[in-house]
Amino acid sequence: MKRLLSAQQLRFGLVGIGNTLVDLVGYTVLFALGTPLVIANLISTTMGMALSFTLNRSFTFRAAGGGAVRQIVLFVLVTGIGLWAIQPLVILLTRDLFAGLPEALAIAAPKLAGICVALVWNYVLYSRLVFRPLEEPAKEPVHD
């Protein structure tokens, strides 16, 4: 029987749950302590992204070798596009599909659709671009 998800995809999901919890708990605590909403969100999302980068690099994709600066730049770019371009676009494109649902679901369902699309975007680009193994230099043939 073929597996539904690979081990790497399962690790990616676990990391996603962890960084989402860090973001949510961090935001909630900071806001409850009186931190302005935008600042609380900026700090909590930054904490979540930092955890996501660290765990995806070392645990999910096991790409903890060289090229960290390149990986950080690509990670921020890919994640930023997912969060701030793809999610809002999917929300705008799907909100009418959920308009007949109760209000809370009509609000949450397009966001969930955006999260799902961005999740696929992130996984594909993390695995193929951000954390791909660096090319090893060709070995010189040994001459006796």
Side-chain angles (χ1 to χ4, degrees):
M1 185 172 170
K2 188 176 177 181
R3 276 189 182 160
L4 184 61
L5 296 172
S6 71
Q8 185 180 70
Q9 291 165 333
L10 289 172
R11 292 189 305 265
F12 179 76
L14 290 172
V15 169
I17 290 168
N19 68 53
T20 300
L21 286 173
V22 164
D23 181 8
L24 181 62
V25 171
Y27 170 79
T28 303
V29 169
L30 289 166
F31 190 68
L33 292 173
T35 306
L37 183 136
V38 172
I39 302 298
N41 189 59
L42 179 64
I43 292 169
S44 69
T45 56
T46 300
M47 290 172 18
M49 282 179 71
L51 179 65
S52 177
F53 174 80
T54 303
L55 292 179
N56 275 312
R57 183 171 193 257
S58 63
F59 174 66
T60 303
F61 299 104
R62 299 184 174 140
V69 172
R70 175 191 151 280
Q71 290 172 344
I72 290 168
V73 170
L74 290 172
F75 178 86
V76 170
L77 183 64
V78 167
T79 304
I81 291 170
L83 285 173
W84 301 311
I86 292 174
Q87 274 193 41
L89 181 62
V90 172
I91 290 168
L92 288 172
L93 293 174
T94 62
R95 66 183 178 182
D96 290 343
L97 296 173
F98 302 106
L101 297 174
E103 186 177 9
L105 288 176
I107 292 168
K111 173 68 171 175
L112 182 59
I115 289 169
C116 290
V117 171
L119 177 101
V120 172
W121 161 269
N122 285 346
Y123 179 78
V124 168
L125 289 176
Y126 289 173
S127 64
R128 296 182 183 192
L129 178 67
V130 178
F131 299 113
R132 69 173 165 69
L134 295 175
E135 301 295 324
E136 291 189 26
K139 294 183 180 178
E140 293 292 321
V142 178
H143 299 288
D144 289 317

